[in-house]
Amino acid sequence: MTATRPWKVPINFVLTLCTAFLLTASTAFAVGTADVAVTKSNDTGGTAVAGQTVTYTITLHNFGPNGATQIHISDSMDVHLINIVANATVPDNCTITNQDILCDIQGIGNNGDDTIIITAQVDPATPATTVIQNCATITGANQTD
């Protein structure tokens, strides 16, 4: 996996990545002595129709040299998305309340990855010209490792 690291953010940080049906966002940040890249993508393609299932992927990669902990992701889904499900590739604590997804990343080892896949259905009552946008906010805290 190759990830870009266009800029660094201090070890206490807040980072927001947004994607609409034509946008993929990527950035990186330093967490203590861990260098973590984050990518959020819309895997559905350029358009969707009412009733269709859409998929978003948030990928974190730790370039090291140390492990990264205390990373929190909040993702407020568009009001036109229903039946929201979030699954992570490692055991993370992800909860969904209404349109909000909260995930606490317990740890990503040196050169490790974590992926959160979010699926939702476009509400069948959504008008055809609606733009569905989705933003995730990633925050981190000081590292002790």
Side-chain angles (χ1 to χ4, degrees):
M1 173 181 169
T2 302
T4 58
R5 298 178 291 181
W7 67 78
K8 302 239 189 251
V9 184
I11 57 177
N12 287 316
F13 63 91
V14 175
L15 174 68
T16 301
L17 299 176
C18 295
T19 183
F21 283 125
L22 293 173
L23 174 68
T24 297
S26 177
T27 192
F29 54 89
V31 182
T33 55
D35 183 3
V36 180
V38 180
T39 303
K40 179 168 185 189
S41 62
N42 168 3
D43 304 334
T44 304
T47 60
V49 296
Q52 179 178 342
T53 298
V54 296
T55 303
Y56 297 96
T57 301
I58 300 172
T59 304
L60 296 95
H61 178 78
N62 181 9
F63 289 93
N66 293 333
T69 59
Q70 300 179 28
I71 300 170
H72 311 284
I73 297 175
S74 62
D75 197 337
S76 295
M77 304 299 285
D78 190 282
V79 296
H80 298 290
L81 296 175
I82 59 174
N83 302 323
I84 300 165
V85 176
N87 292 304
T89 56
V90 297
D92 295 320
N93 182 19
C94 291
T95 59
I96 301 171
T97 305
N98 299 319
Q99 299 301 107
D100 298 320
I101 300 170
L102 301 172
C103 294
D104 291 322
I105 309 300
Q106 299 305 312
I108 303 173
N110 181 23
N111 204 34
D113 295 298
D114 193 0
T115 302
I116 299 168
I117 298 173
I118 301 166
T119 58
Q121 179 186 19
V122 178
D123 188 329
T126 303
T129 57
T130 302
V131 174
I132 296 176
Q133 185 170 355
N134 176 248
C135 294
T137 301
I138 299 93
T139 58
N142 286 321
Q143 298 298 292
T144 57
D145 28 32

